[in-house]
Coordinates of all heavy atoms in Angstrom, one line a residue:
D534 N -10.9 -14.7 -17.5 CA -10.9 -15.2 -18.9 C -12.1 -16.3 -19.0 O -12.1 -17.3 -18.2 CB -9.5 -15.9 -19.1 CG -9.4 -16.0 -20.6 OD1 -10.3 -15.8 -21.5 OD2 -8.3 -16.6 -20.9
L535 N -12.8 -16.1 -20.0 CA -14.1 -16.9 -20.3 C -13.9 -17.5 -21.7 O -14.9 -17.5 -22.4 CB -15.4 -16.2 -20.0 CG -15.6 -15.4 -18.7 CD1 -16.7 -14.6 -18.7 CD2 -15.6 -16.6 -17.6
G536 N -12.9 -18.2 -22.0 CA -12.8 -18.7 -23.4 C -12.5 -17.5 -24.3 O -11.4 -16.9 -24.3
F537 N -13.4 -17.2 -25.3 CA -13.1 -16.1 -26.2 C -13.4 -14.8 -25.7 O -13.2 -13.7 -26.3 CB -13.9 -16.4 -27.6 CG -15.3 -16.1 -27.4 CD1 -15.9 -15.0 -27.9 CD2 -16.2 -17.3 -27.1 CE1 -17.2 -14.7 -27.8 CE2 -17.5 -17.0 -27.1 CZ -18.1 -15.8 -27.4
L538 N -14.1 -14.6 -24.4 CA -14.3 -13.4 -23.7 C -13.5 -13.3 -22.6 O -13.1 -14.2 -21.9 CB -15.8 -13.5 -23.3 CG -16.8 -13.2 -24.3 CD1 -18.3 -13.3 -23.6 CD2 -16.9 -11.9 -25.0
S539 N -13.1 -12.1 -22.4 CA -12.4 -11.6 -21.2 C -12.9 -10.2 -20.7 O -13.5 -9.5 -21.4 CB -10.9 -11.5 -21.4 OG -10.6 -10.5 -22.3
A540 N -12.9 -10.1 -19.4 CA -13.2 -8.8 -18.8 C -12.1 -8.2 -17.9 O -11.3 -9.0 -17.3 CB -14.6 -9.0 -17.9
G541 N -12.1 -6.9 -17.6 CA -11.2 -6.3 -16.8 C -11.6 -5.0 -16.3 O -12.5 -4.4 -16.7
A542 N -10.8 -4.5 -15.4 CA -11.1 -3.1 -14.8 C -9.8 -2.6 -14.4 O -8.9 -3.3 -13.8 CB -12.0 -3.2 -13.6
T543 N -9.6 -1.3 -14.5 CA -8.4 -0.6 -14.0 C -8.8 0.7 -13.3 O -10.0 1.3 -13.6 CB -7.4 -0.2 -15.2 OG1 -8.1 0.6 -16.1 CG2 -7.0 -1.4 -15.8
I544 N -8.1 1.2 -12.4 CA -8.4 2.4 -11.6 C -7.0 3.0 -11.3 O -6.1 2.5 -11.0 CB -9.3 2.3 -10.5 CG1 -9.7 3.6 -9.8 CG2 -8.6 1.3 -9.5 CD1 -10.8 3.5 -8.8
G545 N -7.0 4.4 -11.4 CA -5.8 5.1 -11.2 C -6.2 6.4 -10.5 O -7.2 7.1 -10.7
L546 N -5.5 6.7 -9.4 CA -5.6 8.0 -8.7 C -4.4 8.6 -8.5 O -3.4 7.9 -8.1 CB -6.3 7.6 -7.3 CG -6.4 8.9 -6.2 CD1 -7.3 9.8 -6.9 CD2 -6.9 8.3 -5.0
L547 N -4.3 9.9 -8.8 CA -3.0 10.7 -8.5 C -3.4 12.1 -7.9 O -4.2 12.8 -8.3 CB -2.5 11.1 -10.0 CG -1.2 11.8 -10.0 CD1 -0.1 11.3 -9.3 CD2 -0.9 12.3 -11.3
G548 N -2.7 12.3 -6.7 CA -2.9 13.5 -6.1 C -1.4 14.1 -6.1 O -0.5 13.6 -5.8
I549 N -1.4 15.4 -6.7 CA -0.1 16.1 -6.9 C -0.2 17.5 -6.6 O -1.2 18.1 -6.8 CB 0.3 15.8 -8.4 CG1 1.7 16.1 -8.7 CG2 -0.7 16.5 -9.3 CD1 2.3 15.7 -9.9
D550 N 0.9 18.1 -6.3 CA 1.0 19.4 -5.9 C 2.2 19.8 -6.7 O 3.4 19.8 -6.3 CB 1.4 19.6 -4.4 CG 1.5 21.1 -3.9 OD1 1.4 22.0 -4.8 OD2 1.9 21.4 -2.8
L551 N 2.0 20.6 -7.9 CA 3.0 21.1 -8.7 C 3.0 22.7 -8.3 O 2.0 23.1 -7.6 CB 2.4 21.0 -10.1 CG 2.4 19.6 -10.6 CD1 1.8 19.7 -12.1 CD2 3.8 18.9 -10.6
R552 N 3.9 23.3 -8.5 CA 4.1 24.7 -8.0 C 2.9 25.5 -8.6 O 2.4 26.4 -7.8 CB 5.5 25.3 -8.3 CG 6.5 24.8 -7.5 CD 7.8 25.4 -7.8 NE 8.4 24.4 -9.0 CZ 9.3 24.7 -9.8 NH1 9.9 25.9 -9.6 NH2 9.7 23.9 -10.7
D553 N 2.5 25.2 -9.8 CA 1.4 26.2 -10.4 C 0.0 25.6 -10.1 O -0.9 26.3 -10.4 CB 1.6 26.2 -11.9 CG 3.0 27.1 -12.1 OD1 3.3 27.8 -11.4 OD2 3.4 26.9 -13.3
A554 N 0.0 24.4 -9.9 CA -1.3 23.6 -9.7 C -1.3 22.5 -8.7 O -0.4 21.8 -8.6 CB -1.8 23.0 -11.1
T555 N -2.4 22.4 -8.0 CA -2.6 21.3 -7.0 C -4.0 20.8 -7.3 O -5.0 21.3 -7.6 CB -2.6 21.9 -5.6 OG1 -1.5 22.6 -5.3 CG2 -2.9 20.7 -4.6
G556 N -4.0 19.3 -7.3 CA -5.2 18.7 -7.7 C -5.2 17.2 -7.5 O -4.1 16.7 -7.1
R557 N -6.2 16.6 -8.1 CA -6.4 15.3 -8.0 C -7.0 14.8 -9.3 O -7.8 15.5 -9.9 CB -7.3 14.7 -6.9 CG -8.7 15.2 -6.9 CD -9.5 14.8 -5.6 NE -10.8 15.4 -5.7 CZ -11.9 14.8 -5.8 NH1 -12.0 13.4 -5.8 NH2 -13.1 15.5 -6.0
Y558 N -6.7 13.5 -9.7 CA -6.8 13.1 -10.9 C -7.3 11.7 -10.9 O -6.6 10.8 -10.4 CB -5.7 13.2 -12.0 CG -5.1 14.5 -11.9 CD1 -4.0 14.9 -11.1 CD2 -5.5 15.5 -12.7 CE1 -3.6 16.1 -10.9 CE2 -5.0 17.0 -12.7 CZ -4.0 17.1 -11.8 OH -3.4 18.3 -11.7
W559 N -8.6 11.3 -11.2 CA -9.1 9.8 -11.3 C -9.2 9.4 -12.7 O -9.6 10.1 -13.7 CB -10.4 9.8 -10.8 CG -10.5 10.0 -9.2 CD1 -10.6 11.1 -8.5 CD2 -10.7 8.9 -8.3 NE1 -10.7 10.7 -7.2 CE2 -10.7 9.4 -7.0 CE3 -10.8 7.6 -8.5 CZ2 -10.9 8.7 -5.9 CZ3 -10.8 6.7 -7.3 CH2 -10.9 7.2 -6.0
D560 N -8.9 8.2 -13.0 CA -9.1 7.5 -14.2 C -9.5 6.0 -13.9 O -8.7 5.3 -13.3 CB -7.9 7.5 -15.1 CG -8.2 7.0 -16.4 OD1 -9.3 6.9 -17.0 OD2 -7.0 6.6 -17.2
A561 N -10.7 5.7 -14.3 CA -11.2 4.3 -14.1 C -11.9 3.8 -15.4 O -12.6 4.5 -16.0 CB -12.3 4.3 -13.0
E562 N -11.7 2.5 -15.6 CA -12.5 1.9 -16.7 C -12.8 0.4 -16.5 O -12.1 -0.2 -15.6 CB -11.6 2.0 -18.1 CG -10.6 1.1 -18.2 CD -9.7 1.1 -19.5 OE1 -10.0 2.0 -20.4 OE2 -9.0 0.3 -19.8
A563 N -13.9 -0.1 -17.1 CA -14.3 -1.5 -17.0 C -14.6 -1.8 -18.4 O -15.2 -1.0 -19.1 CB -15.5 -1.7 -16.1
Y564 N -14.1 -3.0 -18.9 CA -14.4 -3.4 -20.2 C -14.6 -5.0 -20.3 O -14.3 -5.7 -19.5 CB -13.1 -3.1 -21.1 CG -11.9 -3.7 -20.7 CD1 -11.5 -4.9 -21.2 CD2 -11.1 -3.1 -19.7 CE1 -10.3 -5.5 -20.8 CE2 -10.0 -3.7 -19.3 CZ -9.6 -5.0 -19.8 OH -8.5 -5.6 -19.2
V565 N -15.2 -5.2 -21.6 CA -15.3 -6.7 -22.1 C -14.6 -6.7 -23.5 O -14.9 -5.9 -24.2 CB -16.7 -7.1 -22.0 CG1 -16.9 -8.4 -22.6 CG2 -17.4 -7.0 -20.8
R566 N -13.9 -7.8 -23.6 CA -13.1 -8.1 -24.7 C -13.5 -9.4 -25.4 O -13.5 -10.3 -24.6 CB -11.7 -7.9 -24.5 CG -10.8 -8.1 -25.8 CD -9.2 -8.0 -25.3 NE -9.0 -6.6 -25.0 CZ -8.1 -6.2 -24.3 NH1 -7.4 -7.2 -23.4 NH2 -7.9 -5.0 -24.0
G567 N -13.7 -9.4 -26.6 CA -14.1 -10.7 -27.2 C -13.3 -10.9 -28.4 O -12.8 -10.0 -29.2
S568 N -13.0 -12.2 -28.7 CA -12.1 -12.7 -29.9 C -12.8 -13.8 -30.5 O -12.6 -15.0 -30.4 CB -10.7 -13.0 -29.5 OG -10.0 -12.0 -28.9
P569 N -13.9 -13.4 -31.4 CA -14.7 -14.5 -32.0 C -13.7 -15.4 -33.0 O -14.0 -16.5 -33.1 CB -15.7 -13.8 -32.7 CG -15.3 -12.5 -32.8 CD -14.3 -12.2 -31.8
W570 N -12.8 -14.8 -33.5 CA -11.8 -15.4 -34.3 C -10.3 -15.1 -33.9 O -10.2 -14.1 -33.3 CB -11.9 -15.1 -35.9 CG -13.3 -15.4 -36.4 CD1 -13.8 -16.7 -36.6 CD2 -14.3 -14.6 -36.5 NE1 -15.1 -16.7 -37.1 CE2 -15.4 -15.3 -37.1 CE3 -14.5 -13.2 -36.4 CZ2 -16.7 -14.8 -37.3 CZ3 -15.9 -12.7 -36.8 CH2 -16.9 -13.4 -37.2
S571 N -9.3 -15.8 -34.2 CA -8.1 -15.6 -33.7 C -7.4 -14.3 -34.2 O -6.5 -13.7 -33.7 CB -7.1 -16.7 -34.1 OG -7.0 -16.9 -35.5
N572 N -7.8 -13.7 -35.3 CA -7.3 -12.5 -35.8 C -8.2 -11.4 -35.6 O -7.8 -10.2 -36.1 CB -7.0 -12.7 -37.2 CG -8.2 -12.9 -38.1 OD1 -9.3 -13.3 -37.6 ND2 -8.1 -12.8 -39.4
L573 N -9.3 -11.4 -34.9 CA -10.2 -10.2 -34.6 C -10.5 -10.1 -33.1 O -10.7 -11.2 -32.5 CB -11.6 -10.6 -35.5 CG -12.8 -9.5 -35.2 CD1 -12.2 -8.2 -35.9 CD2 -13.9 -10.0 -35.8
E574 N -10.5 -8.9 -32.7 CA -10.8 -8.6 -31.4 C -11.6 -7.3 -31.3 O -11.6 -6.5 -32.0 CB -9.4 -8.2 -30.7 CG -9.6 -7.7 -29.2 CD -8.3 -7.4 -28.6 OE1 -7.9 -6.1 -28.7 OE2 -7.6 -8.3 -28.0
I575 N -12.7 -7.5 -30.4 CA -13.6 -6.4 -30.3 C -13.7 -6.1 -28.8 O -13.6 -7.1 -27.8 CB -15.1 -6.9 -30.7 CG1 -15.2 -7.3 -32.1 CG2 -16.2 -5.8 -30.5 CD1 -16.3 -7.9 -32.6
I576 N -13.7 -4.8 -28.4 CA -13.7 -4.4 -27.0 C -14.8 -3.3 -26.8 O -15.0 -2.5 -27.7 CB -12.3 -3.9 -26.5 CG1 -12.3 -3.5 -25.1 CG2 -12.0 -2.7 -27.5 CD1 -10.9 -3.2 -24.6
G577 N -15.4 -3.2 -25.7 CA -16.5 -2.3 -25.3 C -16.4 -2.1 -23.8 O -16.1 -3.0 -23.1
G578 N -16.7 -1.0 -23.3 CA -16.7 -0.8 -21.9 C -17.1 0.7 -21.5 O -17.7 1.5 -22.4
V579 N -16.8 1.1 -20.3 CA -17.3 2.4 -19.8 C -16.0 3.0 -19.2 O -15.2 2.2 -18.6 CB -18.4 2.3 -18.9 CG1 -18.0 1.6 -17.6 CG2 -18.9 3.6 -18.4
R580 N -15.7 4.3 -19.3 CA -14.6 5.0 -18.7 C -15.0 6.2 -17.9 O -16.0 6.9 -18.5 CB -13.6 5.4 -19.8 CG -12.3 5.9 -19.3 CD -11.3 5.9 -20.3 NE -9.9 6.1 -19.7 CZ -8.9 6.1 -20.3 NH1 -8.8 5.8 -21.5 NH2 -7.7 6.3 -19.7
Y581 N -14.4 6.4 -16.8 CA -14.7 7.6 -16.0 C -13.3 8.3 -15.7 O -12.4 7.7 -15.4 CB -15.3 7.2 -14.7 CG -15.4 8.4 -13.7 CD1 -16.4 9.3 -13.9 CD2 -14.6 8.4 -12.5 CE1 -16.6 10.3 -13.1 CE2 -14.8 9.4 -11.6 CZ -15.8 10.4 -11.9 OH -16.0 11.4 -11.0
M582 N -13.5 9.7 -16.0 CA -12.3 10.5 -15.8 C -12.7 11.8 -14.9 O -13.7 12.4 -15.1 CB -11.6 11.0 -16.9 CG -10.9 9.8 -17.8 SD -10.1 10.3 -19.3 CE -11.6 10.6 -20.4
L583 N -11.9 12.1 -14.0 CA -12.1 13.3 -13.1 C -10.8 14.1 -13.0 O -9.8 13.5 -12.7 CB -12.6 12.8 -11.7 CG -12.7 13.9 -10.7 CD1 -13.8 14.9 -11.0 CD2 -12.8 13.4 -9.2
F584 N -10.9 15.4 -13.3 CA -9.9 16.3 -13.2 C -10.3 17.3 -12.2 O -11.2 18.1 -12.5 CB -9.3 16.8 -14.6 CG -8.4 17.9 -14.5 CD1 -7.1 17.5 -14.3 CD2 -8.8 19.2 -14.8 CE1 -6.1 18.6 -14.3 CE2 -7.8 20.2 -14.8 CZ -6.4 19.8 -14.6
D585 N -9.7 17.5 -11.1 CA -10.1 18.6 -10.2 C -8.8 19.2 -9.6 O -8.1 18.8 -8.9 CB -10.8 17.9 -9.0 CG -11.2 18.8 -7.9 OD1 -11.2 20.1 -8.1 OD2 -11.6 18.5 -6.8
A586 N -8.6 20.4 -10.2 CA -7.3 21.2 -9.9 C -7.5 22.5 -9.6 O -8.4 23.3 -10.1 CB -6.3 20.9 -10.9
H587 N -6.6 23.3 -8.9 CA -6.6 24.7 -8.7 C -5.3 25.1 -8.7 O -4.3 24.4 -8.4 CB -7.5 25.2 -7.6 CG -7.0 24.5 -6.2 ND1 -7.3 23.3 -5.9 CD2 -6.1 25.1 -5.4 CE1 -6.7 23.1 -4.8 NE2 -6.1 24.2 -4.3
G588 N -5.1 26.5 -9.0 CA -3.7 27.0 -8.9 C -3.6 28.3 -9.6 O -4.6 29.1 -9.7
E589 N -2.4 28.7 -10.1 CA -2.2 29.9 -10.8 C -1.4 29.7 -12.1 O -0.4 29.0 -12.0 CB -1.3 30.9 -9.9 CG -1.2 32.3 -10.5 CD -0.4 33.2 -9.5 OE1 -0.5 33.1 -8.4 OE2 0.4 33.9 -10.1
A590 N -1.8 30.2 -13.1 CA -1.1 30.1 -14.4 C -1.1 31.5 -15.1 O -2.1 32.1 -15.2 CB -1.8 29.1 -15.3
S591 N 0.2 31.8 -15.5 CA 0.4 33.1 -16.2 C -0.3 34.2 -15.4 O -0.9 35.3 -15.8 CB -0.4 33.2 -17.5 OG 0.3 32.1 -18.4
G592 N -0.2 34.1 -14.0 CA -0.5 35.2 -13.0 C -2.0 35.3 -12.9 O -2.5 36.2 -12.2
R593 N -2.7 34.3 -13.3 CA -4.2 34.2 -13.1 C -4.6 33.1 -12.3 O -4.1 31.9 -12.6 CB -4.9 34.2 -14.4 CG -4.6 35.5 -15.2 CD -5.4 35.4 -16.6 NE -6.3 36.5 -16.7 CZ -7.0 36.8 -17.6 NH1 -6.9 35.9 -18.7 NH2 -7.8 37.8 -17.6
D594 N -5.5 33.2 -11.2 CA -6.0 32.0 -10.6 C -6.9 31.2 -11.5 O -7.6 31.8 -12.3 CB -6.7 32.5 -9.2 CG -5.8 33.1 -8.3 OD1 -4.7 32.7 -8.3 OD2 -6.2 33.9 -7.4
F595 N -6.9 29.9 -11.2 CA -7.9 29.1 -11.8 C -8.3 27.9 -11.0 O -7.7 27.6 -10.1 CB -7.3 28.6 -13.2 CG -6.4 27.4 -12.9 CD1 -6.6 26.1 -12.9 CD2 -4.9 27.7 -12.8 CE1 -5.7 25.0 -12.7 CE2 -4.1 26.7 -12.6 CZ -4.5 25.3 -12.5
D596 N -9.6 27.4 -11.4 CA -10.1 26.3 -10.7 C -10.8 25.4 -11.7 O -11.8 25.9 -12.4 CB -11.1 26.7 -9.6 CG -11.7 25.6 -8.9 OD1 -11.2 24.5 -8.9 OD2 -12.6 25.8 -8.0
A597 N -10.4 24.2 -12.0 CA -10.8 23.4 -13.0 C -11.4 22.1 -12.4 O -10.8 21.4 -11.7 CB -9.7 23.1 -14.0
D598 N -12.7 21.9 -12.9 CA -13.3 20.7 -12.4 C -13.9 20.0 -13.7 O -14.9 20.6 -14.2 CB -14.5 21.0 -11.4 CG -14.0 21.5 -10.1 OD1 -13.2 20.9 -9.7 OD2 -14.6 22.5 -9.6
I599 N -13.4 19.0 -14.1 CA -13.9 18.3 -15.4 C -14.1 16.8 -14.9 O -13.5 16.1 -14.3 CB -12.8 18.2 -16.3 CG1 -12.4 19.7 -16.7 CG2 -13.3 17.5 -17.6 CD1 -11.1 19.8 -17.7
D600 N -15.4 16.4 -15.4 CA -15.9 15.0 -15.0 C -16.5 14.4 -16.2 O -17.4 14.9 -16.7 CB -17.1 15.4 -13.9 CG -17.5 14.1 -13.2 OD1 -16.9 12.9 -13.5 OD2 -18.3 14.2 -12.3
V601 N -15.9 13.3 -16.6 CA -16.3 12.6 -17.9 C -16.7 11.3 -17.7 O -15.8 10.4 -17.0 CB -15.2 12.7 -19.1 CG1 -15.6 12.0 -20.2 CG2 -14.8 14.2 -19.3
L602 N -17.9 10.8 -18.1 CA -18.3 9.4 -18.0 C -18.8 9.1 -19.3 O -19.8 9.8 -20.0 CB -19.4 9.2 -16.9 CG -20.0 7.8 -16.8 CD1 -18.9 6.7 -16.4 CD2 -21.2 7.7 -15.8
A603 N -18.2 8.0 -20.1 CA -18.6 7.8 -21.4 C -18.4 6.2 -21.8 O -17.5 5.6 -21.2 CB -17.6 8.6 -22.4
W604 N -19.2 5.7 -22.6 CA -19.1 4.4 -23.2 C -18.0 4.4 -24.3 O -17.8 5.4 -25.0 CB -20.3 3.9 -23.7 CG -21.3 3.7 -22.7 CD1 -22.3 4.7 -22.3 CD2 -21.5 2.6 -21.8 NE1 -23.2 4.1 -21.2 CE2 -22.7 2.9 -21.1 CE3 -20.8 1.5 -21.7 CZ2 -23.0 2.0 -20.1 CZ3 -21.2 0.5 -20.7 CH2 -22.3 0.9 -19.9
F605 N -17.3 3.3 -24.5 CA -16.4 3.2 -25.6 C -16.5 1.9 -26.3 O -16.9 0.9 -25.6 CB -14.8 3.4 -25.3 CG -14.3 2.5 -24.3 CD1 -13.7 1.4 -24.9 CD2 -14.3 2.6 -23.0 CE1 -13.1 0.4 -24.1 CE2 -13.8 1.7 -22.0 CZ -13.2 0.5 -22.6
I606 N -16.2 1.8 -27.6 CA -16.1 0.6 -28.4 C -14.9 0.7 -29.2 O -14.4 1.8 -29.7 CB -17.4 0.3 -29.2 CG1 -17.6 1.4 -30.2 CG2 -18.6 0.1 -28.3 CD1 -18.8 1.1 -31.3
G607 N -14.4 -0.5 -29.6 CA -13.2 -0.5 -30.5 C -13.1 -2.0 -31.0 O -13.7 -2.9 -30.6
G608 N -11.9 -2.1 -31.7 CA -11.6 -3.4 -32.3 C -10.2 -3.4 -32.8 O -9.6 -2.3 -33.0
G609 N -9.9 -4.6 -33.2 CA -8.6 -4.8 -33.9 C -8.5 -5.9 -34.7 O -9.2 -7.0 -34.6
I610 N -7.4 -5.9 -35.7 CA -7.3 -7.1 -36.5 C -5.8 -7.4 -36.5 O -4.9 -6.5 -36.6 CB -7.7 -6.7 -38.1 CG1 -9.1 -6.3 -38.1 CG2 -7.4 -7.8 -39.1 CD1 -9.7 -5.8 -39.4
K611 N -5.5 -8.7 -36.3 CA -4.1 -9.1 -36.3 C -3.8 -9.7 -37.7 O -4.5 -10.4 -38.2 CB -4.0 -10.2 -35.2 CG -4.2 -9.9 -33.8 CD -4.0 -10.9 -32.8 CE -4.6 -10.5 -31.4 NZ -4.5 -11.7 -30.6
F612 N -2.7 -9.4 -38.1 CA -2.2 -10.0 -39.5 C -0.7 -10.1 -39.5 O 0.0 -9.8 -38.6 CB -2.7 -9.1 -40.7 CG -2.3 -7.7 -40.6 CD1 -1.2 -7.3 -41.2 CD2 -3.1 -6.8 -39.9 CE1 -0.7 -5.9 -41.2 CE2 -2.8 -5.5 -39.9 CZ -1.5 -5.0 -40.5

């Protein structure tokens, strides 16, 4: 916490074996949040998601590899 600025990071990892699919799932983000006034909040950062799974659905084999890295911005108003 740096006064009206704060920073943070989160990471999650899940390895799971469902009967139809087996895989690993990553979700990580890092952000900076600013509150220039008591009723206004601005946030920006980067997020990474990975979905790597394989299995069988509706009698068909599948292999899914999805990798997303993106910037995000947002804000909020308190009233």
Side-chain angles (χ1 to χ4, degrees):
D534 192 4
L535 305 170
F537 73 93
L538 283 178
S539 62
T543 60
I544 187 167
L546 170 63
L547 175 66
I549 193 164
D550 183 4
L551 303 172
R552 283 176 277 164
D553 295 339
T555 301
R557 64 186 173 116
Y558 311 91
W559 283 85
D560 185 14
E562 73 178 11
Y564 61 87
V565 175
R566 178 180 292 144
S568 295
W570 300 285
S571 62
N572 63 342
L573 179 66
E574 179 179 89
I575 301 167
I576 186 169
V579 64
R580 188 161 190 178
Y581 174 71
M582 293 180 284
L583 171 70
F584 174 75
D585 181 16
H587 61 277
E589 183 180 328
S591 300
R593 301 179 118 174
D594 290 338
F595 72 90
D596 187 7
D598 294 312
I599 301 170
D600 192 0
V601 178
L602 177 64
W604 293 97
F605 67 88
I606 58 171
I610 300 173
K611 297 177 189 175
F612 54 93

